[in-house]
Amino acid sequence: MTVNEIDVAGHQVALAFEDGVTRFITCREDQTVADASYRQRINIPLDCRDGACGTCKAFCESGDYDGGSYIDDALSPDEAERGFVLPCSMRPRSDLVLQVASTSEVAKTRAATYAGTLVGLERLSRTTVEIAVEIPDREELAFLPGQYVNIAVPATEVTRSYSFSNAPHEERLTFLVKLTPGGAMSSYLEERAAVGDEITFTGPHGSFFLRETDRPVLLLAGGTGLAPILSMLRKLQHEGSDRTAHLVYGVSTDEDLVAVDQIERAAAGLVNLTWDHCVSDPASSARNKGYVMSLIEPEHLHDGDVAIYLCGPPPMVEAVRSHVSEAGLELTGFYYEKFALAVPSAAAPQASDTEETPAPADVADDTTAPVAQPAPTGAAAPSPVIDELVYAVDARAVAGQQVLASVHLPAWTGERRHTDDGDSARRIAGQVVAPIDDRPGASSSPLDVDASLHPSGARGLAGQVVFPAADIPSVPTATAAAPTTADGYQIGEEHPDVRSSDAIFEARQALELGALELTVGRLTSQQLAGYRLLAESTLPYVDGDRFVDAHAYTETNAAFHDYLFAQTRNEHLLQAYRALGVKGRMEEALRTATWCHPQCATDHVAIVDAFEAADRERARDLIAAHAERSKQTMRRAMAEASTATRPRFLTPGRFEGKVVVVTGAAQGIGAHVARRIGAEGGAVVLADRSELVSEVADELTGWGAQSLAVSCDLEQPEGAEELARQAIERFGRIDVLVNNVGGAINFKPFTEFSGAEIRAELDRSLLTTLFGCRAVLPSMVAARRGVIVNVSSAATRGIHRIPYSAAKGGVNAVTASLAMEYAEHGIRVVATAPGGTEAPPRRISRGTPAPRTEQEREWFDAHIEQTLASSLMGRYGTLEEQAAAIAFLASDEASYITGTVLPVAGGDLG
């Protein structure tokens, strides 16, 4: 048996809000409903968190629960009698339905809506306008340099997205707008706009913002994509930054070149800022004609130790990415913002707009991407969605002179012909040049048998090579596109090998420092209470510098970090954080980890303390320190994991030429046995009902061992037969079977077991062994050789698991009897009897229910105490110690041992 975490069952809790919306969460019996709700990002009303205020009071329509402890001022006895509850104190004992005294909107976080006044309207050029807006209570709007808002176009039902060009500390909000004939915002600005108009917008949005670090930056702006870059420069200027920065500003025409005076003013206040600009129009009077990439010099890239911030149209983003790739550099950070053109709705009144949005340059006005909904069952297929052309007014001109007249081409209505005699590849201009040999008995080979190029003299003239062969590298795999948000923005960031480096936590730190600026001093007492609840929920899983439960810590840690991003009311920031994959990376690296930096969990509480005190600098320092401690924890876990899975003690070649089947091989003793046999030269068939067994098989394959993963249910005879069939089909025989699958499910006095629970213990720990033996014996008898190693238990003499003890006693009897019955066929049957064994947290549940009462907890603890007391060595064994005994008995070194049960329990004979 192994010691691991208690598997905890969860209940479904329906949260019915006042606006008719119902949300469902899963809540364990050892959790409060409020705790589970916040972890699953449904922020129900909350303040005190311990039953003292009544803020979270709800009504329980149905279900059983433990109401927990609280004071009468928070929930009176009469209210409790009528079914009112406090989610911060209650714990479910069944599925629940709660009526929450709040709306679903309150329980979620959304971008705020602001109303202001148009106070500035300046035509910077024929193609660009700068607008300025002032709002009351300006201090309520916090944003990061680089973010944007969705502005409602007055007197219409459409919105357009624009990035701030002002710095976060400035009172007046400014935006750059690229004018395009027929655009909704363009028409408003050119025809109806007047200072004094009311302007409304929602936001801020976006995860494209300047990260706080001392690393050099390269800022690239296309067209009115200059706006977020200006915001960044003004922020740096306001802070008196000496950060090394270079800006390249590119536009299409001279008329598009605007706000140069604003760049110059920012440069005057930034000692380490340099900048340049270019115009792509060949007729431009600018010094630099061409594209942004032409002005990126090697010194701007700092050998890769640079963060690039790019705002522009998609082709510009891809061109810059290719430029950097061709330079052979791996950048520290590549942050970009671009628009993806939306598919206009057929009914949308703005579908014809072709205005360019001001946030990245040179992109269409229609950027709101509708979310596709599945058609109802039985409904007619929807009409195909057609991308409308976005017209460029100067596309038919060169240097302002039209050279390509517009021509209307009607749809072709004639007959469509398509002829293919099956030999198109053998024809040129319809003439067969490589005929198929149709003579009797002849066979035609493909034109190119192996798809390789055939040498010829095609590179030469008169015997002289004039076109030497070039070594053309393979086309790099395309970078996965960043997700496009509902409002049309595509925002992304790339880091070097982020899944296996510290960069993942550096990126999280940068995002959190941005989220800090948006939230510190702005969270309500309810929001802070939820934040503290999540911080404190991580504490039970770390004890000093040891993980009590690394998996549970990973889960609660992810909920804590998610929460801050959720409170920014900026879905893009939350998406950007989740896109880093921090939780998945931690789950992978900490799976078997035991060491944790002693301040990792307590950092969470300290961060909340700083937020409650509105101490920005303290919170910044703690976030940075926490990132460093997280990196230390991950580094150590990854270093230990790289050596932990490979056995320390080996007998090289001991299983060379042997085919060994190991059951229950996805984790614990079974996985360690599989690793040891694979490392000693054996071909290993790993069986488990969990698909996770494939991961262990892949690990062995990576070492150079032969392996086969088989997912099957060995509690059924058909599962064992399928396992034997696949093993023989792949390797031709089975030399050794290690019957490891099994394990106690329940821990309580025998009289507390139900009939079904007794049957489940026998199915798990006895029948699996019987079925496994029966499945492999026919092939072993035919071969007149074979070894079966059954894994029994020292718990044949133990308390609070009598059905399991009986099952393992049966395994001992099966071992002795099979050894006697099949000795004449050259088959040995032996067993080990492990005692208590230390193991990482289980990845696959045994189905052990969580203790629901103190009595059940005492029963569980009693069996652990008995196991330790029975060991003369007073400790648990290790997985390696168990695997060593099993591997010995399975090997030819134990060729004169059969019918024996070997205790491996520190002196406990069972």
Side-chain angles (χ1 to χ4, degrees):
M1 84 179 206
T2 59
V3 176
N4 47 67
E5 86 282 3
I6 303 303
D7 297 308
V8 182
H11 298 293
Q12 290 293 307
V13 179
L15 303 174
F17 292 94
E18 291 176 338
D19 54 3
V21 175
T22 300
R23 303 286 297 278
F24 292 88
I25 62 171
T26 300
C27 184
R28 302 194 312 261
E29 292 192 355
D30 64 341
Q31 281 182 304
T32 67
V33 171
D35 186 7
S37 176
Y38 271 76
R39 290 193 194 187
Q40 291 162 66
R41 303 177 191 90
I42 300 177
N43 305 331
I44 62 175
L46 186 70
D47 203 339
C48 69
R49 310 185 333 277
D50 56 8
C53 71
T55 299
C56 65
K57 189 182 301 179
F59 178 75
C60 183
E61 289 186 15
S62 65
D64 298 323
Y65 55 89
D66 176 355
S69 59
Y70 50 84
I71 64 174
D72 288 351
D73 286 346
L75 184 68
S76 70
D78 178 62
E79 288 176 317
E81 182 68 24
R82 287 187 287 128
F84 286 93
V85 292
L86 297 179
C88 71
S89 301
M90 72 181 302
R91 290 174 168 80
R93 294 293 177 258
S94 71
D95 291 351
L96 302 175
V97 177
L98 299 185
Q99 290 184 7
V100 181
S102 175
T103 66
S104 61
E105 291 301 309
V106 172
K108 296 185 290 184
T109 54
R110 292 184 175 272
T113 298
Y114 299 88
T117 303
L118 184 66
V119 295
L121 186 63
E122 181 180 358
R123 189 97 178 214
L124 301 182
S125 74
R126 188 181 66 85
T127 66
T128 309
V129 169
E130 181 182 61
I131 63 173
V133 177
E134 289 184 354
I135 61 173
D137 301 321
R138 169 65 178 83
E139 67 279 359
E140 292 183 5
L141 170 63
F143 69 90
L144 299 168
Q147 290 189 303
Y148 70 95
V149 294
N150 291 326
I151 299 180
V153 181
T156 74
E157 296 182 358
V158 302
T159 62
R160 293 293 178 261
S161 303
Y162 299 94
S163 295
F164 295 100
S165 62
N166 61 291
H169 70 279
E170 295 174 324
E171 283 293 315
R172 178 171 287 197
L173 310 176
T174 56
F175 309 91
L176 299 180
V177 182
K178 177 71 178 294
L179 300 176
T180 301
M185 182 63 81
S186 298
S187 297
Y188 164 70
L189 292 177
E190 291 192 290
E191 300 169 7
R192 308 188 306 276
V195 171
D197 286 355
E198 181 181 61
I199 299 292
T200 61
F201 60 86
T202 61
H205 302 285
S207 62
F208 178 74
F209 65 90
L210 185 66
R211 273 63 171 173
E212 297 191 23
T213 175
D214 294 329
R215 185 172 289 117
V217 291
L218 175 59
L219 308 171
L220 306 175
T224 47
L226 178 65
I229 303 300
L230 281 174
S231 182
M232 294 179 184
L233 292 178
R234 287 166 170 155
K235 171 78 179 307
L236 292 173
Q237 183 182 27
H238 177 68
E239 294 176 342
S241 173
D242 59 358
R243 190 171 178 180
T244 299
H246 183 71
L247 163 65
V248 180
Y249 172 32
V251 295
S252 298
T253 69
D254 287 347
E255 288 184 326
D256 296 329
L257 188 65
V258 298
V260 172
D261 57 330
Q262 297 183 37
I263 300 175
E264 290 175 339
R265 283 197 296 272
L270 292 168
V271 295
N272 290 323
L273 170 67
T274 55
W275 75 283
D276 211 335
H277 69 278
C278 58
V279 180
S280 60
D281 183 358
S284 168
S285 61
R287 182 180 74 253
N288 301 311
K289 299 179 183 64
Y291 296 96
V292 165
M293 289 73 67
S294 64
L295 296 182
I296 301 176
E297 301 294 341
E299 59 266 26
H300 301 146
L301 298 175
H302 298 270
D303 295 323
D305 186 27
V306 65
I308 290 182
Y309 292 83
L310 188 164
C311 186
M316 178 180 174
V317 174
E318 298 311 314
V320 172
R321 182 186 281 119
S322 298
H323 179 82
V324 172
S325 177
E326 290 167 3
L329 295 177
E330 193 173 66
L331 301 176
T332 299
F334 180 43
Y335 307 94
Y336 60 88
E337 181 173 64
K338 60 183 179 181
F339 269 108
L341 289 179
V343 180
S345 168
Q350 70 272 30
S352 62
D353 291 349
T354 56
E355 176 181 358
E356 299 186 34
T357 56
D362 306 325
V363 291
D365 181 284
D366 288 301
T367 57
T368 301
V371 179
Q373 298 293 336
T377 303
S383 300
V385 179
I386 301 173
D387 288 356
E388 294 192 9
L389 292 177
V390 178
Y391 294 95
V393 294
D394 58 350
R396 298 183 178 279
V398 174
Q401 179 69 35
Q402 186 179 52
V403 295
L404 297 171
S406 176
V407 177
H408 176 68
L409 296 176
W412 174 256
T413 58
E415 181 183 359
R416 294 181 174 88
R417 295 183 180 180
H418 174 72
T419 302
D420 186 357
D421 297 323
D423 60 356
S424 298
R426 298 178 182 274
R427 296 172 179 266
I428 294 178
Q431 179 69 35
V432 176
V433 295
I436 297 175
D437 191 344
D438 56 3
R439 292 175 299 169
S443 61
S444 292
S445 61
L447 292 178
D448 190 359
V449 178
D450 59 1
S452 60
L453 294 175
H454 299 281
S456 70
R459 295 186 179 279
L461 291 175
Q464 179 69 32
V465 175
V466 293
F467 299 109
D471 183 16
I472 302 175
S474 60
V475 178
T477 302
T479 304
T484 302
T485 61
D487 51 18
Y489 262 92
Q490 191 175 101
I491 301 173
E493 53 186 274
E494 300 168 13
H495 304 275
D497 198 14
V498 72
R499 294 189 179 277
S500 59
S501 74
D502 290 345
I504 190 172
F505 288 98
E506 292 175 1
R508 184 184 74 180
Q509 174 189 334
L511 287 171
E512 284 188 317
L513 289 175
L516 163 70
E517 295 301 318
L518 298 178
T519 54
V520 69
R522 299 172 182 273
L523 299 182
T524 66
S525 62
Q526 177 180 326
Q527 290 172 316
L528 289 169
Y531 202 18
R532 181 169 292 280
L533 182 151
L534 293 174
E536 292 176 350
S537 71
T538 66
L539 298 178
Y541 306 117
V542 178
D543 183 8
D545 63 353
R546 311 293 290 178
F547 278 121
V548 174
D549 186 333
H551 173 72
Y553 175 79
T554 300
E555 290 286 335
T556 53
N557 176 76
F560 171 80
H561 288 283
D562 274 9
Y563 186 78
L564 181 61
F565 294 110
Q567 302 318 302
T568 64
R569 300 182 297 187
N570 185 323
E571 185 64 22
H572 301 98
L573 277 181
L574 184 57
Q575 289 177 2
Y577 164 63
R578 291 178 182 167
L580 293 176
V582 178
K583 181 184 177 185
R585 185 67 181 120
M586 287 179 65
E587 287 177 338
E588 178 185 345
L590 302 182
R591 183 180 304 158
T592 59
T594 56
W595 184 85
C596 176
H597 192 287
Q599 291 178 260
C600 266
T602 56
D603 278 345
H604 298 146
V605 178
I607 289 170
V608 176
D609 289 341
F611 268 82
E612 288 182 338
D615 189 338
R616 175 184 275 99
E617 293 307 313
R618 174 67 175 155
R620 288 167 55 86
D621 292 345
L622 284 166
I623 289 172
H626 181 63
E628 286 302 315
R629 291 192 262 270
S630 298
K631 287 190 285 186
Q632 291 176 38
T633 300
M634 292 288 286
R635 287 188 206 122
R636 181 155 167 177
M638 289 187 287
E640 290 175 350
S642 66
T643 58
T645 58
R646 203 161 177 105
R648 287 188 300 161
F649 306 112
L650 294 174
T651 303
R654 181 164 56 168
F655 287 95
E656 195 71 44
K658 296 289 180 73
V659 178
V660 182
V661 175
V662 183
T663 69
Q667 62 185 353
I669 293 173
H672 263 63
V673 170
R675 291 184 179 110
R676 178 143 189 176
I677 290 172
E680 294 186 1
V684 188
V685 180
L686 303 92
D688 204 288
R689 64 183 176 186
S690 169
E691 297 291 342
L692 292 174
V693 73
S694 297
E695 295 183 10
V696 184
D698 291 343
E699 183 184 326
L700 268 59
T701 301
W703 298 351
Q706 297 183 74
S707 68
L708 170 66
V710 179
S711 297
C712 55
D713 183 1
L714 296 175
E715 292 184 14
Q716 306 300 323
E718 296 81 8
E721 290 162 6
E722 176 63 15
L723 168 60
R725 186 193 68 77
Q726 289 197 38
I728 293 171
E729 183 180 273
R730 171 70 178 274
F731 296 110
R733 66 185 191 280
I734 298 172
D735 296 308
V736 180
L737 167 65
V738 178
N739 266 318
N740 167 72
V741 70
I745 304 172
N746 291 285
F747 301 88
K748 55 189 176 182
F750 182 51
T751 55
E752 298 291 328
F753 279 80
S754 68
E757 288 172 335
I758 292 173
R759 174 70 65 181
E761 301 282 1
L762 297 179
D763 287 346
R764 175 74 55 82
S765 297
L766 175 58
L767 292 184
T768 50
T769 297
L770 284 170
F771 293 150
C773 291
R774 192 183 71 167
V776 304
L777 277 169
S779 66
M780 290 184 173
V781 169
R784 298 198 62 76
R785 67 175 184 273
V787 180
I788 296 176
V789 182
N790 296 322
V791 179
S792 180
S793 174
T796 50
R797 184 171 64 89
I799 66 170
H800 293 173
R801 52 209 151 144
I802 300 303
Y804 172 73
S805 300
K808 290 303 187 181
V811 170
N812 293 347
V814 168
T815 300
S817 297
L818 283 179
M820 182 176 292
E821 187 169 322
Y822 286 92
E824 63 180 282
H825 299 286
I827 298 169
R828 293 189 301 110
V829 185
V830 291
T832 66
T837 304
E838 288 185 352
R842 296 183 65 85
R843 301 177 67 199
I844 307 157
S845 171
R846 275 185 180 170
T848 302
R852 292 171 298 179
T853 65
E854 187 60 32
Q855 179 64 77
E856 290 181 355
R857 169 64 67 183
E858 290 175 0
W859 289 338
F860 182 85
D861 291 343
H863 102 272
I864 295 178
E865 293 169 4
Q866 179 262 306
T867 301
L868 278 170
S870 298
S871 170
L872 301 182
M873 300 179 73
R875 68 171 177 86
Y876 283 94
T878 67
L879 293 174
E880 282 201 332
E881 288 169 334
Q882 300 298 343
I886 293 168
F888 165 69
L889 290 176
S891 74
D892 291 341
E893 295 176 72
S895 58
Y896 197 51
I897 302 175
T898 192
T900 298
V901 178
L902 173 63
V904 190
D908 182 359
L909 301 180

